Amino acid sequence: MKKVKKYYIICKNGERRYRDKIYKIGKMAVIIDGKSLAKKTRENLKIECEKLKDKGIIPKLAVIMVGDDPASKVYVRNKSKACDEIGVKYEEYILKDSITQKELIDLIHKLNEDKTVNGILLQSPIPNHLDIDEAFREISSEKDVDGFNPVNIGKLLLNQDTFVSCTPYGIMKMFEEYNIDLEGKNLVIIGRSNIVGKPLMACCLNNHATVTVCHSRTKGLKEKTKNADILIAAIGKSKFVTADMVKEGAVVIDVGINRGEDKKLTGDVDFEEVKKKASYITPVPGGVGPMTIAMLMNNVIKATINQNK
Ligand code: GUN
């Protein structure tokens, strides 16, 4: 039998989280449990939602989806389930692929005007003939629970109160929960998407990390990732980050959700190998994904409270 010694870290809420140190094999990373943190977050939001209901206010999220992208269908279903659990009303607008830009913008304007709707989310991707930038711009910044409106992105860059995009926000909550301090750390993000990489860069900078954003044209990627105290992968390529790219003791966050031919979900990180080297790591599934939806719910409640002040 292997000799296993229990180590633990103390989380913000005083809870102890154990990790196993297995002699001879070496240290193993703490697995950041996004699933249970998301559950706890949703439970707290349910209480907030009940308080609003006592005042006669029922939060409502309107979700627009264009076409029938299979991955989007799954994301949208999960958002609807979270709304049901918390007590947020959920309204879905499934639009045909053939919809015109004007029809899409008219719907957004109608939802902006509707006082019973507190949050609006346009699920991406949308078909290429539509202009998603214009669509995000037209969502009222007060109902922009995804934080994709340029006004809210600008506020985030300026470190002002705003709706923080849900995936970066979820990652920040995980750092907070596990007492991972960003101040002065070399933090490398792989991926520069508008949805994850760019807002995440702003969040990390606002928390005093020294941030490097890498992308498909970055030269000497491995040199940069090997220097990262905190490495965040948001590329969309299964097991792209291998152990040789990771510094000993680094914190590794995996934003990827890739479905292989066998339908199995994998992240952007080679979890089994990298966990032997990292100090903390997020799994896929059960890491960043559930936190994204929990933070969307957080933003819907925040929008509702702001609109009823
Ligand atoms: N597509 C993939 N992730 C997201 C997200 O967080 N929000 C929206 N609107 N679309 C997405």
Side-chain angles (χ1 to χ4, degrees), residues 36 40 65 90 94 103 125 131 174 183 191 240 250 257 262 274 286 296:
S36 45
K40 194 173 78 179
M65 191 175 109
Y90 177 84
I94 311 275
E103 284 169 314
D131 179 353
M174 294 200 286
E183 187 169 334
F240 180 88
I257 304 178
D262 57 359
V274 173
L296 170 67

Side-chain angles (χ1 to χ4, degrees), residues 38-187:
K39 184 167 180 272
K40 194 173 78 179
T41 308
R42 291 196 306 273
E43 281 162 6
N44 289 336
L45 290 168
K46 189 172 178 183
I47 297 169
E48 290 302 312
C49 200
E50 274 155 12
K51 283 189 203 155
L52 285 168
K53 277 187 192 155
D54 289 344
K55 295 184 196 158
I57 302 163
I58 303 177
K60 193 201 273 186
L61 172 67
V63 170
I64 307 170
M65 191 175 109
V66 187
D68 59 357
D69 176 64
S72 292
K73 275 187 180 167
V74 175
Y75 292 141
V76 163
R77 195 178 329 124
N78 289 338
K79 287 167 188 175
S80 143
K81 271 198 226 159
C83 284
D84 284 349
E85 184 188 333
I86 289 164
V88 169
K89 268 197 189 170
Y90 177 84
E91 219 166 68
E92 199 171 84
Y93 295 84
I94 311 275
L95 308 178
K96 289 200 184 111
D97 266 341
S98 57
I99 192 169
T100 64
Q101 182 74 9
K102 182 171 182 311
E103 284 169 314
L104 175 61
I105 300 297
D106 284 349
L107 172 60
I108 290 172
H109 287 169
K110 191 184 105 187
L111 296 171
N112 283 345
E113 293 303 312
D114 186 340
K115 291 220 166 5
T116 70
V117 171
N118 305 104
I120 304 171
L121 181 149
L122 170 63
Q123 185 66 33
S124 76
I126 60 175
N128 285 337
H129 72 277
L130 299 170
D131 179 353
I132 198 160
D133 293 334
E134 189 200 14
F136 284 147
R137 200 165 57 233
E138 288 304 313
I139 294 176
S140 155
S141 61
E142 269 112 59
K143 296 189 179 184
D144 171 36
V145 286
D146 249 336
F148 294 160
N149 178 303
V151 170
N152 288 328
I153 296 270
K155 284 186 178 174
L156 180 65
L157 269 176
L158 298 172
N159 202 8
Q160 295 171 4
D161 182 43
T162 185
F163 292 112
V164 179
S165 317
C166 307
T167 301
Y169 199 4
I171 294 172
M172 292 303 119
K173 286 286 167 195
M174 294 200 286
F175 287 146
E176 200 182 305
E177 174 75 9
Y178 284 80
N179 288 321
I180 297 168
D181 187 9
L182 269 54
E183 187 169 334
K185 300 277 166 59
N186 284 330
L187 186 149

